Amino acid sequence: MIPYGRQEITESDIEAVVEVLRSDLITQGPVVPQFEKAVAGYCGARRTVAVNSGTSALHLACRVLDIGPGDTVWTSPITFVASANCARYCGADVDFVDIDPATFNLCPKRLAEKLEKAERAGKLPKAVIPVHFAGLPCDLAAIQELAEHYGFAIIEDASHAIGARYRDEPVGNCRYSDITVFSFHPVKIITSAEGGMAVTNRADLAERMERLRSHGITRSSELMTKVPDGPWYYQQIELGYNYRMTELQAALGVSQLQRLDTYVCQRHNVAGFYDTALSGQPLTVQHHPEDTYSAYHLYVIRVSAQDHRSIFEFLRTSGIGVNLHYIPVHLQPDYQRFGFREGDYPAAESYYSEAITLPLFPSMNDEDKQGVVHAVKEAMTT
Ligand SMILES: *Cc1c(COP(=O)(O)O)cnc(C)c1O
């Protein structure tokens, strides 16, 4: 079975991790700050906070934007559940904005309409979490313009999109957002096994995320409620977590980051091959606006809803590890409890009835790619 995604681990990745294993510190050492600095440099952002998963980074982002009970956070229904769950961890409500049927990203027009209504009802969101689906940057300028008008925060869920570019600048520079979040899960663009990072230009948010990743504990006397009892002293000044990234993960991340641009380029090559080889087939692919450069985390085709299931099954039977990203979040039982129903987000639901993710990873060889194309063409005609 050709998987839909697969990490690539080189000898130098292995050496980097082994080097940490032989050192004194396997957690809370120098390599996590090194990884943070490297990602900040890559993205052109001031501050980065490494954590143990993308989900943790989303949670911390919500916490430091003071999202809590009574607040609402909006995101896309076509995403991994973590993009929505992060708000619920903070006691906030979640609502969704339908996707653009062409880009599969949160639609700025639907967002504008929903904001107009929400303003009249006095229920504006505290934050919106646009997701750069499949690695394709959202229309960030349009979303930011609405944020300025209606006064909500923006957290970019860039779990798919490290290495992507928007208007000739790297995703993660936070020009259009308060915080950007990356995931380094093995299926993503680069990996640290598990891991994530929150990126921001605001020092106050970064400092608070650093504290929350380690139990909400501070050793800075100026933040304490009293003069320290002694040199051993620390204070917990708010409720935090253990969301720390290990040195082993960071070493893998630093090593992988060096190949980020190569990986994205290889992903574009595979996508380009599919584009050409599948043109003329009865299917559609994601529309890439001119001011975007995708990280190509995923290559999704949309086929007729009527044949969707049989094509999917045919591909799986043919050894092609196709997948479906994603089941609309509002259709999950744990979201239906809040009253979301089928029909709420027609573009997302129609996408779900047609979408198939084809295998896409940097080390795919010609045989893999041709095998996928051959099977897709065959599936279309049977
Ligand atoms: C992978 C992913 C996450 C969560 O990342 P983890 O590192 O697995 O916690 C969040 N949002 C999206 C869109 C993702 O694809």
Side-chain angles (χ1 to χ4, degrees):
M1 182 83 80
I2 304 175
Y4 91 84
R6 176 192 280 159
Q7 76 276 13
E8 185 182 284
I9 301 294
T10 65
E11 281 308 311
S12 51
D13 289 342
I14 294 167
E15 270 168 39
V17 175
V18 168
E19 198 181 317
V20 168
L21 276 169
R22 293 190 201 283
S23 76
D24 287 336
L25 298 168
I26 57 176
T27 189
Q28 294 176 285
V31 188
V32 166
Q34 195 190 326
F35 186 31
E36 290 174 332
K37 220 172 149 198
V39 172
Y42 182 89
C43 296
R46 292 211 185 91
R47 299 288 294 263
T48 42
V49 182
V51 288
N52 59 357
S53 74
T55 304
S56 300
L58 285 166
H59 183 195
L60 293 188
C62 288
R63 275 292 305 271
V64 301
L65 292 168
D66 292 320
I67 288 159
D71 295 328
T72 307
V73 172
W74 294 0
T75 189
S76 169
I78 297 299
T79 186
F80 186 53
V81 289
S83 316
N85 290 344
C86 56
R88 289 176 56 200
Y89 296 154
C90 301
D93 297 322
V94 172
D95 203 352
F96 301 94
V97 181
D98 209 354
I99 60 165
D100 176 326
T103 65
F104 316 159
N105 275 332
L106 183 149
C107 176
K109 284 201 201 85
R110 297 289 92 77
L111 176 61
E113 291 163 8
K114 197 176 169 94
L115 285 164
E116 240 182 82
K117 277 194 205 147
E119 189 177 44
R120 283 199 298 273
K123 288 178 122 178
L124 284 169
K126 180 112 166 207
V128 173
I129 307 183
V131 181
H132 303 312
F133 178 79
L136 180 74
C138 293
D139 188 348
L140 287 167
I143 297 168
Q144 189 199 35
E145 204 173 298
L146 292 166
E148 270 165 18
H149 185 263
Y150 289 98
F152 57 83
I154 299 176
I155 303 169
E156 294 172 63
D157 184 344
S159 295
H160 299 181
I162 193 166
R165 297 177 72 81
Y166 176 73
R167 299 196 171 173
D168 272 330
E169 292 179 355
V171 163
N173 71 357
C174 296
R175 183 182 294 287
Y176 305 91
S177 63
D178 298 275
I179 299 169
T180 300
V181 165
F182 295 127
S183 164
F184 306 121
H185 182 276
V187 296
K188 308 294 164 75
I189 312 290
I190 58 167
T191 187
S192 61
E194 294 280 359
M197 206 174 282
V199 184
T200 182
N201 290 323
R202 282 180 54 186
D204 59 329
L205 298 182
E207 276 156 30
R208 196 162 163 224
M209 287 193 283
E210 282 166 358
R211 192 162 64 232
L212 287 171
R213 115 180 118 180
S214 216
H215 309 280
I217 281 172
T218 185
R219 290 177 186 277
S220 318
S221 53
E222 68 271 19
L223 295 174
M224 293 181 184
T225 55
K226 63 169 195 173
V227 176
D229 291 349
W232 61 85
Y233 196 67
Y234 59 82
Q235 275 190 349
Q236 179 181 328
I237 57 171
E238 61 181 331
L239 183 62
Y241 318 90
N242 180 352
Y243 280 173
R244 291 187 302 264
M245 176 182 274
T246 68
E247 293 283 285
L248 306 175
Q249 293 168 312
L252 183 53
V254 169
S255 185
Q256 290 254 320
L257 185 65
Q258 293 169 18
R259 295 192 306 281
L260 172 55
D261 288 337
T262 310
Y263 283 156
V264 173
C265 193
Q266 287 169 320
R267 287 177 172 278
H268 271 264
N269 287 341
V270 178
F273 179 86
Y274 285 159
D275 282 343
T276 309
L278 295 174
S279 72
Q281 294 295 316
L283 54 83
T284 55
V285 295
Q286 195 176 21
H287 168 66
H288 289 224
E290 251 177 29
D291 55 4
T292 62
Y293 177 74
S294 177
Y296 261 120
H297 170 52
L298 303 172
Y299 191 94
V300 176
I301 58 171
R302 290 180 71 163
V303 301
S304 89
Q306 205 187 329
D307 302 332
H308 180 245
R309 193 184 171 118
S310 63
I311 291 172
F312 193 99
E313 281 171 349
F314 180 93
L315 289 168
R316 277 276 176 94
T317 315
S318 313
I320 313 298
V322 288
N323 225 307
L324 208 174
H325 300 90
Y326 291 94
I327 305 159
V329 180
H330 71 284
L331 298 182
Q332 295 290 352
D334 195 39
Y335 280 82
Q336 302 245 295
R337 297 199 289 122
F338 301 106
F340 295 110
R341 288 293 170 259
E342 213 163 307
D344 285 350
Y345 304 100
E349 289 167 27
S350 141
Y351 166 88
Y352 175 58
S353 69
E354 299 173 356
I356 300 175
T357 305
L358 301 184
L360 173 55
F361 49 92
S363 60
M364 281 183 90
N365 59 30
D366 288 347
E367 202 183 318
D368 294 334
K369 292 185 285 192
Q370 276 156 3
V372 172
V373 165
H374 180 75
V376 171
K377 286 183 173 167
E378 216 178 311
M380 293 291 187
T381 53
T382 47

